[in-house]
Amino acid sequence: TIEAGGGLSNYVFTYMVGGYAKYSLANLDALKLGAVVGANYNKNFAPNTDPATEGLNYGAGVFAEQPLGETGTIFGQVMYWAKTAVEDAPIMDHIGGLGGINFKITDKIAVKGQVEYISKQPLFSIGVGYTF
């Protein structure tokens, strides 16, 4: 977003960062199923009308991963996010999910593309991830 005037101070930066910890509970012929917990910080990247939905959010859910050849993986997860705009919001307002594909560049670094549904908004992102 650019506002009237000039200079870097007139830009409004939006971003979202997040991290997840996953634990595989089942391995069915290379298909991994398990539990996931995560947190994200939304600075108006997922558009919202209530400033209360910005900031730190945390959640838990389930995930699935399936290898695609030597370096690729297709993945998906569904999360229950704790923070919403209204305290008595219906359960479905807390649900988010994502799915995508990643390809390893090294043993620890991968590039990925994903579609995510969060804050009642579908988002597409391309990123780089690091596996600990």
Side-chain angles (χ1 to χ4, degrees):
T1 304
I2 303 174
E3 297 174 2
L8 191 57
S9 64
N10 292 324
Y11 286 90
V12 176
F13 294 98
T14 64
Y15 57 90
M16 182 164 48
V17 296
Y20 299 95
K22 298 178 179 180
Y23 184 77
S24 181
L25 298 170
N27 193 346
L28 309 170
D29 196 25
L31 172 66
K32 290 182 185 177
L33 302 172
V36 59
V37 294
N40 69 32
Y41 185 87
N42 177 23
K43 178 65 171 123
N44 203 27
F45 184 78
N48 58 66
T49 57
D50 186 346
T53 62
E54 279 194 337
L56 187 63
N57 198 352
Y58 54 92
V62 295
F63 78 93
E65 293 180 353
Q66 176 69 45
L68 296 174
E70 295 288 320
T71 61
T73 303
I74 190 167
F75 60 89
Q77 67 188 45
V78 176
M79 303 275 294
Y80 177 89
W81 292 99
K83 187 176 178 184
T84 60
V86 186
E87 286 185 21
D88 59 349
I91 291 226
M92 288 309 293
D93 286 357
H94 292 271
I95 302 297
L98 61 87
I101 189 168
N102 71 19
F103 291 97
K104 286 185 178 181
I105 296 174
T106 70
D107 284 343
K108 297 288 185 179
I109 298 174
V111 293
K112 68 178 178 177
Q114 73 182 28
V115 175
E116 186 167 0
Y117 182 78
I118 191 166
S119 298
K120 297 182 182 181
Q121 296 289 323
L123 305 169
F124 174 76
S125 63
I126 297 173
V128 175
Y130 183 83
T131 302
F132 292 95

